[in-house]
Amino acid sequence: MFFGITDFWAYAIGAFLIILLPGPNSLFVLSHAATHGVRAGYRAACGVFAGDTVLMFLSAAGAASLLRSHPALFAVVKYAGALYLAWIGLQMIRGAWKSWRAAPEVSEQPVTAPARAESRPFRKALTISLLNPKAILFFVSFFVQFVDPGYASPALTFVILGAVIQLFSFLYLTALIFGGTFLAAQFRRRRRLGAGLASGVGVVFLGFGAKLATASLG
């Protein structure tokens, strides 16, 4: 046993595989890095780290029980998150449409999004993370499988579990950020290709919003 973790390596493997699953957080970081570069990508990634840390803390503090016992509260947070994801998607589609209409097929200028979409990546990523009540329930249901209830310092156990999953998240998002900047280099001369892919990402965000809106406590 490792600081109250019943099977550390099983947890590490499970956490690694979970981080690889696509979601709105990772897609936002990838698209933002592709549009605005490495620094902006890391600002968005920091928003994801901060949001996940808050959710893990709330999970350990009993927020999951609160959401389960108050379905109305769960619904409010859920629909707010769904609307925000849909708004992000529509903004991406709108920016891509403007870029498509305004630019020639081949250009030497870098692809840039509208100024409004360029600002505040940390806050946007943080909001996307926090407005997902299912994440709190997930952290509880996943963490509890590896926590020894008889361990004297359960808070330390949760800190270690959270640190492991954040480490994997950092490595994965770093790969996405540099992958995104590589994509940006390919889009600098083909603005319409970049606009088409940006609109596709926007549609995916609309799908994420619809999925969250139909989520249940089960």
Side-chain angles (χ1 to χ4, degrees):
M1 189 178 299
F2 178 73
F3 291 104
I5 303 173
T6 56
D7 193 338
F8 177 80
W9 292 112
Y11 168 78
I13 293 172
F16 176 76
L17 294 176
I18 288 167
I19 288 297
L20 293 180
L21 295 176
N25 289 338
S26 57
L27 189 57
F28 180 78
V29 171
L30 173 62
S31 62
H32 209 79
T35 306
H36 304 298
V38 172
R39 182 176 297 182
Y42 272 113
R43 285 202 295 268
C46 286
V48 174
F49 300 146
D52 285 349
T53 299
V54 171
L55 293 181
M56 291 177 198
F57 174 80
L58 292 176
S59 301
S65 299
L66 180 64
L67 291 175
R68 288 188 183 279
S69 59
H70 294 80
L73 177 61
F74 177 84
V76 168
V77 179
K78 177 182 74 171
Y79 288 123
L83 288 173
Y84 190 74
L85 289 175
W87 180 79
I88 291 288
L90 290 174
Q91 290 293 101
M92 288 181 175
I93 294 172
R94 182 184 176 205
W97 176 247
K98 287 183 177 180
S99 179
W100 178 279
R101 295 186 61 184
E105 175 61 27
V106 178
S107 173
E108 295 298 327
Q109 300 299 320
V111 179
T112 56
R116 285 186 302 173
E118 184 176 327
S119 61
R120 301 183 294 275
F122 176 89
R123 191 173 76 177
K124 287 185 178 181
L126 177 64
T127 305
I128 290 172
S129 295
L130 294 180
L131 290 179
N132 184 6
K134 294 289 285 186
I136 297 178
L137 301 178
F138 161 75
F139 282 128
V140 168
S141 62
F142 183 61
F143 283 5
V144 75
Q145 300 176 55
F146 302 94
V147 176
D148 177 17
Y151 185 65
S153 302
L156 178 59
T157 306
F158 271 90
V159 168
I160 295 174
L161 293 174
V164 169
I165 205 166
Q166 289 286 56
L167 173 62
F168 288 147
S169 179
F170 171 78
L171 295 175
Y172 178 55
L173 292 181
T174 293
L176 292 182
I177 287 168
F178 284 96
T181 55
F182 171 79
L183 292 176
Q186 310 306 311
F187 297 154
R188 284 194 179 101
R189 294 184 302 163
R190 296 188 177 275
R191 295 174 64 91
R192 287 188 174 179
L193 175 61
L197 290 178
S199 63
V201 172
V203 171
V204 172
F205 264 84
L206 291 176
F208 282 136
K211 182 178 179 180
L212 180 57
T214 57
S216 66
L217 282 167

